[in-house]
């Protein structure tokens, strides 16, 4: 047998072995497999992409998706900056029903904006279409909105261009009554200090299209009163778009440290902060006066604030309303 061919075969066998090791139990971080994959990223990338595609095919067939190999594959593809993986990851995140949440859990809410910005920075229109698609998972759509903030921070799109885009998406959401996407749009417009979109933001509140567990109209007043410099600093302080080391990032996760997390997390410290009374016309007038300078805006003190549909901070993987919030309500 040709030595070159034999050597190539050995590499292929090693890649397959690494992939099997990446498919570890969910409470085990496959550090050695990750380290081995780093030694030959170009050879591993096709195998990692196929792992993601296989999980997607099984989900589409409504079959069980066992193991964690596809999950670790996405994290490694992100670290490798493998733009050729973008279509496979996009297809997986576009699965129907709650499959994205089932397969990826907190990866969607915590990392997907940065993954999309790393691997899909040349696919702006594709990601933009995700924002307006009500068939997609709610938090995948949220990630698509936040993707644009990273493109601004990294200088790949101008602030004015992104504000214009998000303003059009907000207008579409208001016209459709799409309350799943108005909240992240408003949050990102705040991050970009988009005072020019204030009229649409106020309209979204008037139409009750905003999750006030996350932000209410008085928060908007206070946040805008902080000024451009404050938001420029917040933008600069966001985490790097591309992850440098998945082991360093993942080894602190609750799934690998359940005892420590159980000691540190106290559900009583979570403040749902929902309003018992509706946002009244009088409140709106007072808020508008504060924004216009008629009242002094107090600095906003942010508590741990969790929306009903957000992932529960206890790390269970369930939505807050189906986990700790439910437990507190029953108490």
């Amino acid at each position: 047998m040709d030595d070159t061919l034999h050597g190539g075969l050995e590499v292929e066998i090693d890649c397959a072995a690494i992939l099997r090791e990446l498919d570890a139990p969910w409470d085990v971080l496959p550090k050695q497999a990750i380290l081995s994959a780093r030694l030959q990223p170009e050879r591993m990338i096709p195998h990692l992409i196929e792992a993601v595609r296989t999980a997607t095919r099984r989900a589409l067939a409504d079959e069980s998706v066992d193991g964690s190999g596809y999950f670790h594959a996405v994290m490694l593809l992100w670290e490798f900056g493998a733009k050729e993986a973008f279509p496979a990851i996009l297809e997986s995140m576009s699965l129907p029903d709650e499959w994205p949440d089932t397969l990826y859990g907190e990866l969607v809410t915590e990392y997907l904006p940065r993954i999309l910005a790393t691997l899909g920075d040349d696919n702006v229109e594709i990601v933009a279409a995700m924002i307006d698609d009500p068939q997609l998972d709610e938090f995948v759509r949220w990630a698509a909105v936040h993707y644009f903030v990273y493109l601004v921070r990294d200088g790949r799109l101008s602030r004015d261009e992104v504000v214009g885009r998000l303003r059009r998406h907000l207008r579409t959401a208001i016209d459709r009554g799409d309350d799943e996407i108005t909240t992240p749009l408003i949050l990102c417009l705040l991050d970009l200090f988009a005072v020019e979109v204030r009229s649409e933001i106020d309209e979204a509140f008037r139409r009750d299209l905003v999750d006030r567990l996350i932000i209410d109209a008085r928060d908007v007043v206070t946040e805008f009163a902080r000024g451009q410099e404050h938001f420029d600093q917040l933008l600069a302080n966001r985490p790097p778009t591309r992850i440098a080391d998945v082991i360093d990032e993942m080894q602190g996760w609750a799934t690998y440290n359940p005892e420590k997390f159980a000691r540190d997390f106290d559900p009583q410290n979570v403040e749902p902060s929902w309003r018992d009374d509706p946002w009244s016309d009088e409140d709106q007038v007072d808020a508008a006066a504060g924004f216009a300078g008629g009242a002094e805006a107090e600095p906003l003190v942010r508590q741990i604030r969790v929306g009903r549909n957000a992932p529960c901070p206890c790390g269970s993987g369930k939505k807050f309303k189906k986990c700790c919030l439910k437990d507190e309500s029953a108490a």
Side-chain angles (χ1 to χ4, degrees):
M1 179 180 290
D2 185 283
D3 289 341
T4 303
L5 178 61
H6 180 66
L9 182 60
E10 284 184 342
V11 168
E12 290 301 316
I13 291 174
D14 288 344
C15 288
I18 291 169
L19 202 63
R20 288 194 296 272
E21 291 177 22
L22 286 173
D23 200 20
W26 282 103
D27 59 349
V28 175
L29 178 61
K31 293 183 181 180
Q32 188 54 56
I34 292 171
L35 292 172
S36 298
R38 283 181 182 154
L39 297 177
Q40 46 183 351
E42 295 304 319
R43 291 186 180 276
M44 281 300 303
I45 284 171
H47 294 267
L48 298 172
I49 292 173
E50 183 55 31
V52 176
R53 291 196 183 280
T54 298
T56 303
R57 286 195 296 268
R58 292 185 65 85
L60 284 171
D62 205 26
E63 299 174 0
S64 63
V65 182
D66 300 321
S68 62
Y70 65 91
F71 186 98
H72 294 120
V74 169
M75 295 295 288
L76 273 170
L77 289 165
W78 179 22
E79 180 183 309
F80 294 162
K83 292 189 177 184
E84 60 266 48
F86 179 76
I89 293 174
L90 180 64
E91 182 184 15
S92 200
M93 296 299 173
S94 301
L95 284 165
D97 302 320
E98 294 191 1
W99 270 113
D101 182 57
T102 300
L103 293 177
Y104 297 103
E106 289 188 4
L107 182 147
V108 176
T109 53
E110 296 296 324
Y111 300 114
L112 186 55
R114 294 161 64 194
I115 293 172
L116 293 175
T118 299
L119 307 183
D121 59 327
D122 299 326
N123 296 273
V124 170
E125 299 305 329
I126 293 175
V127 179
M130 297 166 66
I131 296 174
D132 293 332
D133 187 351
Q135 300 304 312
L136 293 182
D137 176 83
E138 176 183 357
F139 297 113
V140 170
R141 298 175 71 196
W142 281 51
V145 177
H146 286 272
Y147 152 94
F148 281 99
V149 179
Y150 281 97
L151 295 191
V152 172
R153 195 277 304 277
D154 296 344
R156 286 180 275 178
L157 289 178
S158 72
R159 178 263 182 199
D160 289 349
E161 179 182 355
V162 168
V163 167
R165 281 179 172 273
L166 297 185
R167 186 177 200 169
R168 291 191 292 273
H169 287 297
L170 182 58
R171 181 73 262 161
T172 298
I174 291 171
D175 292 343
R176 291 179 177 176
D178 187 353
D179 60 356
E180 280 194 351
I181 202 64
T182 48
T183 300
L185 284 166
I186 289 172
L187 290 173
C188 287
L189 286 164
L190 281 173
D191 286 345
L192 298 172
F193 196 61
V195 291
E196 63 266 48
V197 192
R198 181 60 195 272
S199 61
E200 287 91 342
I201 292 174
D202 284 347
E203 183 179 355
F205 277 102
R206 287 196 302 271
R207 296 196 181 191
D208 198 25
L209 297 174
V210 186
D211 187 345
R212 294 192 179 91
L213 299 177
I214 297 175
I215 187 169
D216 64 32
R218 283 176 288 196
D219 292 338
V220 173
V221 172
T222 305
E223 291 290 87
F224 275 143
R226 288 172 174 246
Q228 180 73 59
E229 185 177 345
H230 169 76
F231 289 95
D232 288 344
Q233 190 61 47
L234 287 179
L235 199 61
N237 289 340
R238 281 186 172 236
T241 303
R242 180 173 170 180
I243 195 170
D245 187 327
V246 298
I247 293 176
D248 186 56
E249 179 67 34
M250 297 174 68
Q251 62 187 356
W253 288 6
T255 187
Y256 309 122
N257 305 276
E259 293 182 2
K260 179 181 183 301
F261 195 80
R263 290 196 306 269
D264 294 345
F265 175 72
D266 181 359
Q268 299 302 317
N269 292 331
V270 176
E271 292 290 342
S273 300
W274 61 81
R275 293 173 55 82
D276 295 326
D277 58 307
W279 185 248
S280 66
D281 291 338
E282 182 179 355
D283 288 332
Q284 288 283 357
V285 170
D286 290 343
F291 182 76
E296 183 177 354
E298 294 293 328
L300 177 65
V301 179
R302 292 196 178 277
Q303 299 173 323
I304 299 175
R305 213 171 202 180
V306 186
R308 292 177 184 271
N309 290 313
C312 188
C314 78
S316 67
K318 299 178 182 179
K319 292 182 179 180
F320 184 45
K321 66 183 180 183
K322 295 183 178 180
C323 192
C324 290
L325 177 57
K326 181 179 179 181
D327 294 340
E328 290 175 6
S329 299

